[in-house]
Amino acid sequence: MFPRPLRALLLLLVLCFGACATTSGPPEAAAPHLPTQAGEEATPVPPSAEEVLQSRVERLMSRLSVEDKVGQLMMVGFGGTEVDESVEALVRGRRVGGVCLFRRNIASGEQVARLNDGLRRLLADAIPPFLALDQEGGNVVRVKDGVVVLPGNMALGATRSAELAYAAGLAQGEDLKRLGFNMNLAPVLDVNLNPRNPVIGIRSYGDSVPLVSELGRAFVRGQQDAGLVTVAKHFPGHGSTDADSHTALPVMRESREEVLAQMEPFRAVIQDGLDGLMTAHVAVPGLTGDDLPATVHPQVLEGLLRQRLGFDGLVLTDELEMDAIALRYGVGRAAVMAVKAGADMVLVPWRAEKKTEVYEALMSAAWSGELPPARLDEAVRRILTSKLRRGLFEQPPLLEERLATPPSPENAEVAHRIARAAVTLLRTDGKHFPLSPGARLGLITPERSLGEALLERSPGAQVLNVPAWPTQARRAVLRQQARRLALASDVVVVGMINSRQLELVTMAAATGRPVLVVSMGLPYLTEQADEARAVLAIYSYQPAATEAAAAALFGEIGTPGRLPVGLSRLAFGHGLDSPVPRRTAAAPAAAPFQDERKGGGAR
């Protein structure tokens, strides 16, 4: 036995050690325990996946300086197709959170895959960057080689198929990941309520809120199931405006209730777990009472988006160099305003000096306290959460292995399935459509792929390729060429993207020859082609769409598509079935769709 004084000292040390052991150590070292009954041993409860993720976020946050955090707020672009010293100084020097690539950066699928790999290696010892592009399909396509090229949203709207929308998102996501992208700034969820909208148009699924919501939800699920960070746009909506935010500030002039109704597609995808949203440079006085753009408005981003809609994902601004923002506030000042209002990242893709301006403005605001530390940390936490959730910290498969694996043929077929299901017969005289096999065919088209598809079926056809936007002097020459082609043909097909082709329809029809129109752009324009004996709408000039148009013209497939927008003389959902097509390839029928706006079926 120890002497009594020594025993007392030992007891004191044991008690002290026990107390210290229960209060020291990192928080995550102590696992939670289930409640126990008397005599039962407590069972540790493992942390949830979300708790593990947030613990990783906090560990990362603890290592970041203010400079690192400000760099994470920036999504930048640059000129050129490879990593050079200037790109390294921008991406590694600023520790930027993301890089957005455009057509100027992309020469081929293999080249952009190597570029993405080089950009990722620049930050191999830091926070990996978002590698983004806006690959929407239709008339917004950045990379065409090695990926599925989708006909576009309005073509999907004409199919009425959520199944095809999901397949489109999944196929595109898989192909883009193979090339090293980890983020896509798509889909567009704006409801195209204004036929004269200069910036949305066929980028929208249509003018029906339920249709846009249904197809948008399906596309987002597909793209996110492929593991791609998905950023939908343009919140709170750009579809009812009559101005382009690249050059002026658009204003949503609807009432509060109407604006909220247009936001339903965004609410729907938020409920499904959307990764991110891009803001629109639009004023919403019906909601806010002023003309402050949504991108920099706390009532829109913090009040409406965060609090009312409950969105806790990533918020990225549209390009801050657009005139709607840059001319009013300056790019640097706008960046600070946007982050203070609730945006997490700012997009600055073009001029080098503007990136410096934004970085310095954000740093100054962070050091001065104008940008509160809590708001800065909140933004960075969302960025890190998104990167961890979508696996950006995991090493991707080796570049050469990815390049040696060709894209899936099933993914390419998705574009053709959509295109065939989208072909919409708006009107016909019942005599000249489908085309007679022996007819002398003339074609006038601003899209060469339509001519190639027709020549495969009618090698003797005459084709006049015309510019989509000819000069005034060239238009007079084209009118005469159109007349000569028509006089040498039994029937004339005119491809139409914009109003410049309308006069060629008129010139060809003036010869007395029957004219068939293939509308590859917005269907609103077709109502001005009164001379046409038949009108097909395909909503896209991508090759899958023009191939489907040629197949429909020759009776190989039907015309299952239905209008995704209402015209002045044709209702939403209008579409005629092709008269007894000579089918050689089956086109899926458009699924019934209930449009709540119309109070019934849209077919």
Side-chain angles (χ1 to χ4, degrees), residues 154-176:
M154 193 163 283
L156 264 170
T159 74
R160 300 295 195 274
S161 174
E163 177 187 355
L164 284 175
Y166 176 86
L170 184 66
Q172 181 164 270
E174 290 175 347
D175 285 355
L176 290 176

Side-chain angles (χ1 to χ4, degrees), residues 352-405:
E353 67 271 20
K354 295 302 179 184
K355 301 178 201 24
T356 300
E357 180 184 335
V358 166
Y359 181 81
E360 292 178 349
L362 288 170
M363 281 298 304
S364 177
W367 284 120
S368 71
E370 181 188 3
L371 178 57
R375 172 77 271 271
L376 176 60
D377 285 356
E378 179 184 53
V380 177
R381 281 191 179 94
R382 288 201 181 100
I383 295 166
L384 296 177
T385 297
S386 182
K387 290 181 175 183
L388 285 165
R389 196 165 273 151
R390 290 293 171 213
L392 269 67
F393 286 81
E394 300 168 12
Q395 190 67 29
L398 292 176
L399 173 64
E400 300 304 330
E401 291 179 6
R402 286 185 278 122
L403 291 177
T405 304

Side-chain angles (χ1 to χ4, degrees), residues 193-194 239-241 251-260 262 284-287:
L193 296 173
N194 183 356
S240 65
T241 61
V251 179
M252 296 179 72
R253 304 191 183 281
E254 294 82 358
S255 67
R256 176 182 178 85
E257 291 71 24
E258 290 169 329
V259 171
L260 292 175
Q262 289 183 50
V284 196
L287 287 177

Side-chain angles (χ1 to χ4, degrees), residues 73 96 129 143 240 337 368 405 473 486 510 513 517 527 534 541 555 564:
L73 304 187
V96 297
V143 55
S240 65
M337 293 172 67
S368 71
T405 304
R513 303 298 193 264
V517 165
E527 293 193 306
Y541 47 76

